[in-house]
């Protein structure tokens, strides 16, 4: 089926690629609405960068960035997720209208996270994670990466269930670029069906990431219009391939490019689409 397109709204001064362009609340809201107009099914609002080497942001600072944006976008009718590793931010975001909590640590960074989400009724993205961004590559050591990622995600699904979040409220994410180097990421993507076989819906985030830059070649690493276009085209391709491998959603910066690519893939296959509320058993 065609995956949902989750548009990224970074409200940070130092994200992977938006470089703080949308730090200002009004601009972030405008960016979110623009992504909806371009065909985003979901908006993922984050106030803390997770790029390799990034330092943590205090929850109050994070909430000051994301809550007004989430409230405005939810009021405008958008399906919103909050990209956070803090339980207090997750709860405040759901109160402000978020329907999904996207925790790149899979509930590991804040021990209060899963228990805090359980009573809210929100869905949760549990991403594969082996430790904080500041030293994530130190843990990029695997014997059989697909099996290890799947096993570690299975343990997070169990932890969610023990905290009162049933698997139909869970979305897993293999965490492309998180504690994984170059080729390891491609191995995980090649094994996506084994992650999907765990049961819950699967989200995939490759947008503008290093694995694409390394594959495209030298000039794609510079932040100029040409290279950004190349990375967005590459992202559109991985979005189609993720959908073909069973992904429920793809998390992207350039919604328009991915939406166009999915339209073409859709026409080719002629089958159905996921919906935001599709829940797996
Ligand atoms: N990647 C980033 C941030 N949040 N969330 C999920 N679920 N999956 C991802 O792959 C992911 C994420 C880092 O990218 P950004 O800083 O460019 O948004």
């Amino acid at each position: 089926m065609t995956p949902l397109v989750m548009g990224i709204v970074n409200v940070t001064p130092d994200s992977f690629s938006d470089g703080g362009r949308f730090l200002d609340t009004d601009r972030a809201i405008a960016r979110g609405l623009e992504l909806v107009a371009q065909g985003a099914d979901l908006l993922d609002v984050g106030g803390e960068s997770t790029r390799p080497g990034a330092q943590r942001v205090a929850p109050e600072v994070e909430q000051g960035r994301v809550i007004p944006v989430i409230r405005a976008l939810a009021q405008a009718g958008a399906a919103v997720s909050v990209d956070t590793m803090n339980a207090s931010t997750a709860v405040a975001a759901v109160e402000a209208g978020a329907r999904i909590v996207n925790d790149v640590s899979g509930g590991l960074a804040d021990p209060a996270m899963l228990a805090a989400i359980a009573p809210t009724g929100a869905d949760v993205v549990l991403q594969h994670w082996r430790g904080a961004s500041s030293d994530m590559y130190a843990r990029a050591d695997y014997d059989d990466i697909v099996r290890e990622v799947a096993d570690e995600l299975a343990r997070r699904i169990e932890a969610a269930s023990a905290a009162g979040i049933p698997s139909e409220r869970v979305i897993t994410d293999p965490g492309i670029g998180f504690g994984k180097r170059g080729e390891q990421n491609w191995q995980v993507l090649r094994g996506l069906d084994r992650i999907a076989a765990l049961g819950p819906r699967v989200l995939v985030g490759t947008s503008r990431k290093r694995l694409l830059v390394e594959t495209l070649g030298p000039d794609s690493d510079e932040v100029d219009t040409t290279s950004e276009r190349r990375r967005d085209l590459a992202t559109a391709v991985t979005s189609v391939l993720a959908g073909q491998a069973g992904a429920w959603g793809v998390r992207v910066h350039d919604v328009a490019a991915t939406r166009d690519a999915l339209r073409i893939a859709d026409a080719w296959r002629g089958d159905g689409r996921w919906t935001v509320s599709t829940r797996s058993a």
Side-chain angles (χ1 to χ4, degrees), residues 22 48 86 101 104 114 120 165 176 192 196 244 272 279:
F22 302 106
E48 177 178 12
N86 294 306
V101 176
V104 296
L114 297 176
T120 68
I165 307 173
I176 297 305
L192 205 61
Q244 290 179 355
R279 287 180 164 183

Side-chain angles (χ1 to χ4, degrees), residues 21-280:
R21 257 183 284 160
F22 302 106
L23 181 56
D24 166 71
T25 305
D26 289 344
R27 289 170 78 188
I29 295 165
R31 174 68 176 155
L33 296 175
E34 182 186 21
L35 294 181
V36 169
Q38 290 175 354
D41 302 292
L42 284 159
L43 296 175
D44 189 39
V45 181
E48 177 178 12
S49 172
T50 50
R51 66 185 302 167
Q55 297 302 313
R56 297 300 309 269
V57 169
E60 309 79 62
V61 174
E62 183 189 36
Q63 286 160 36
R65 293 175 180 174
V66 299
I67 299 302
V69 176
I70 290 170
R71 187 172 291 114
L73 292 173
Q75 272 170 8
V80 178
S81 72
V82 59
D83 190 342
T84 185
M85 290 189 276
N86 294 306
S88 60
T89 303
V91 170
V94 175
E95 280 165 6
R99 292 162 59 171
I100 301 175
V101 176
N102 172 23
D103 182 352
V104 296
S105 81
L108 287 167
D110 184 341
M113 181 62 102
L114 297 176
I117 296 171
T120 68
D123 288 356
V124 61
V125 178
L126 300 174
Q127 194 199 247
H128 178 257
W129 188 80
R130 281 193 168 180
S133 294
S134 51
D135 63 350
M136 62 165 88
Y137 292 124
R139 300 179 183 86
D141 191 14
Y142 304 87
D143 289 325
D144 176 349
I145 191 166
V146 180
R147 183 180 51 74
E148 287 168 62
V149 169
D151 286 353
E152 288 165 36
L153 283 174
R155 284 203 283 280
R156 301 320 302 149
I157 297 166
E158 284 161 21
S161 167
I165 307 173
S167 65
E168 56 271 24
R169 280 172 57 197
V170 171
I171 298 149
T172 59
D173 184 324
I176 297 305
F178 286 81
K180 300 166 195 78
R181 301 176 198 277
E183 171 59 20
Q184 292 176 327
N185 292 293
W186 292 114
Q187 288 171 355
V188 169
L189 290 170
R190 258 174 240 133
L192 205 61
D193 54 328
R194 287 163 65 191
I195 311 285
L198 293 172
R201 294 162 284 173
V202 179
L203 178 67
V204 178
T206 59
S207 191
R208 297 180 182 169
K209 286 187 179 170
R210 181 155 294 280
L211 79 159
L212 304 180
V213 172
E214 286 169 357
T215 303
L216 289 174
D219 70 295
S220 61
D221 201 12
E222 287 155 35
V223 182
D224 63 34
T225 341
T226 321
S227 65
E228 204 159 277
R229 233 186 357 249
R230 289 183 74 199
R231 288 186 288 163
D232 287 331
L233 175 59
T235 303
V237 173
T238 56
S239 295
V240 167
L241 296 172
Q244 290 179 355
W248 161 87
V250 288
R251 182 181 177 281
V252 302
H253 297 88
D254 183 350
V255 166
T258 275
R259 175 53 74 215
D260 279 352
L262 291 173
R263 268 195 200 107
I264 301 303
D266 248 4
W268 180 297
R269 281 197 325 282
D271 62 4
R273 302 195 54 200
W274 291 93
T275 65
V276 173
S277 55
T278 309
R279 287 180 164 183
S280 47

